[in-house]
Amino acid sequence: MSASLAFVFPGQGSQSLGMLAELGAEQPSIIETFKEASTALGYDLWKLIQEGSEEQLAQTDKTQPAILTASVALWRLWEQQGGAKPAFVAGHSLGEYSALVVAGCLSLADAVRLVRRRGELMQEAVPAGQGGMAAILGLDDGKVIELCAQAAEAQVVSAVNFNSPGQVVIAGDKAAVDRAIELCKAAGAKRALPLAVSVPSHCALMKPAAERFAEAINSIDWKAPVIPVVQNVSAGIAADLDTLKQNLLAQLYQPVRWVECVQTLAAQGAVNLVECGPGKVLAGLNKRCADGVTTYNLNTPDAFAATRAALA
């Protein structure tokens, strides 16, 4: 195990059609992992991400299993090639489930079915078009929180993803999010832009989804993590499995404290972070969250080889 190493797993927004195509062509284990997930889901997940439509892949109940499986496939390849074991794992939003599979808490089959259910419940909680999310750049966290409170007007809008200093995502009822966007622009935000998402994640509108999701969480055989998991809602490590599961449910309607998660890792000496999943969204965020942190990627054959060489 490398004390300075942590693996971090991306969430929704990192998906793209054709992701992992090059690695899949070279590495049979990538395809094997997707076959395992496809058996659990009852459809060909690899075919969906290689040959499906952007629209299909953007459906929350498809996006979540796709990103999770891609992340676990990359982890398994890392292990297979003798990569060092991390001292910690963490994941951004959905990515927390990838982290839990890698930490040995639940099987890939259970995880993909779980996140599919999570996606369905999120979609059902707020009908399409009624919720919204927006990225706010260039304002202090406190200011964004204050302006959301001002914009709410008996509806829901709140700061939900603290992604990096000066980058906060807000979510809630669409009209309230639109009001908050205008207030943030007036307050001097560099940018305040709506996000193309089908559900307003991590806000109070998701509380009913969490209540229904508890049944799915409790129906699974959980094991204690073999690698400590830094969780989104606490930015810390749960003392026991019950707390870990409660944090997962709370994550549906409470903010993702990503800045603090990265700071927790850095404070523990884990300053070499490997983004284990499609894309490189977290690499861009992490460097602004804590001093001295370097993020490596595994999403292409070249990136994978460079990370192996750098961390050998």
Side-chain angles (χ1 to χ4, degrees):
M1 187 194 81
S2 172
S4 67
L5 183 64
F7 267 55
V8 292
F9 298 86
Q12 252 171 283
S14 289
Q15 74 277 8
S16 60
L17 271 184
M19 61 187 181
L20 269 54
E22 286 177 273
L23 277 163
E26 290 178 13
Q27 304 290 347
S29 70
I30 299 277
I31 306 299
E32 285 307 312
T33 300
F34 271 88
K35 279 185 182 162
E36 196 182 317
S38 298
T39 301
L41 293 165
Y43 64 88
D44 189 336
L45 186 58
W46 182 254
K47 190 174 180 184
L48 172 78
I49 67 168
Q50 300 304 326
E51 301 171 27
S53 65
E54 293 276 5
E55 194 180 26
Q56 266 182 312
L57 185 57
Q59 289 167 4
T60 302
D61 60 336
K62 300 284 194 301
T63 314
Q64 298 199 22
I67 293 173
L68 184 142
T69 304
S71 300
V72 172
L74 289 170
W75 163 256
R76 288 178 175 180
L77 182 60
W78 176 264
E79 272 199 310
Q80 188 186 311
Q81 295 197 357
K85 184 181 171 185
F88 300 93
V89 291
H92 187 289
S93 186
L94 161 75
E96 193 163 295
Y97 291 83
S98 310
L100 290 166
V101 174
V102 166
C105 292
L106 72 169
S107 69
L108 174 63
D110 280 342
V112 289
R113 287 191 291 256
L114 196 59
V115 300
R116 171 172 65 186
R117 183 67 182 138
R118 180 178 182 264
E120 289 167 353
L121 291 170
M122 288 167 75
Q123 202 75 68
E124 287 167 18
V126 180
Q130 289 187 18
M133 296 182 81
I136 311 297
L137 308 184
L139 285 182
D140 288 344
D141 294 355
K143 189 67 181 170
V144 176
I145 292 166
E146 179 195 318
L147 294 173
C148 283
Q150 208 178 313
E153 294 179 17
Q155 288 186 305
V156 169
V157 60
S158 58
V160 296
N161 289 1
F162 296 96
N163 285 335
S164 68
Q167 184 182 332
V168 179
V169 173
I170 63 172
D173 291 297
K174 188 178 181 311
V177 170
D178 290 344
R179 288 193 294 271
I181 287 173
E182 293 312 312
L183 288 174
C184 288
K185 283 179 181 170
K190 285 181 191 161
R191 295 173 84 184
L193 28 122
L195 299 177
V197 293
S198 56
V199 287
S201 305
H202 308 295
C203 73
L205 297 176
M206 288 294 131
K207 195 99 191 259
E211 285 160 9
R212 294 174 67 197
F213 191 46
E215 187 186 340
I217 288 271
N218 292 326
S219 70
I220 281 173
D221 178 26
W222 291 81
K223 294 181 172 61
V226 294
I227 305 170
V229 183
V230 175
Q231 291 191 279
N232 288 176
V233 299
S234 62
I237 295 154
D240 53 62
L241 264 182
D242 282 343
T243 307
L244 185 145
K245 289 191 275 186
Q246 283 308 311
N247 286 345
L248 271 187
L249 289 173
Q251 193 225 60
L252 272 172
Y253 58 88
Q254 287 183 19
V256 171
R257 294 162 60 185
W258 189 249
V259 175
E260 291 169 89
C261 288
V262 175
Q263 288 170 350
T264 296
L265 293 171
Q268 298 288 338
V271 289
N272 291 318
L273 308 184
V274 175
E275 181 170 1
C276 188
K280 38 170 89 168
V281 170
L282 298 181
L285 302 178
N286 295 345
K287 63 187 174 196
R288 297 198 291 275
C289 294
D291 291 336
V293 163
T294 304
T295 304
Y296 302 88
N297 291 90
L298 300 177
N299 59 325
T300 65
D302 286 351
F304 200 103
T307 298
R308 286 280 288 117
L311 297 174

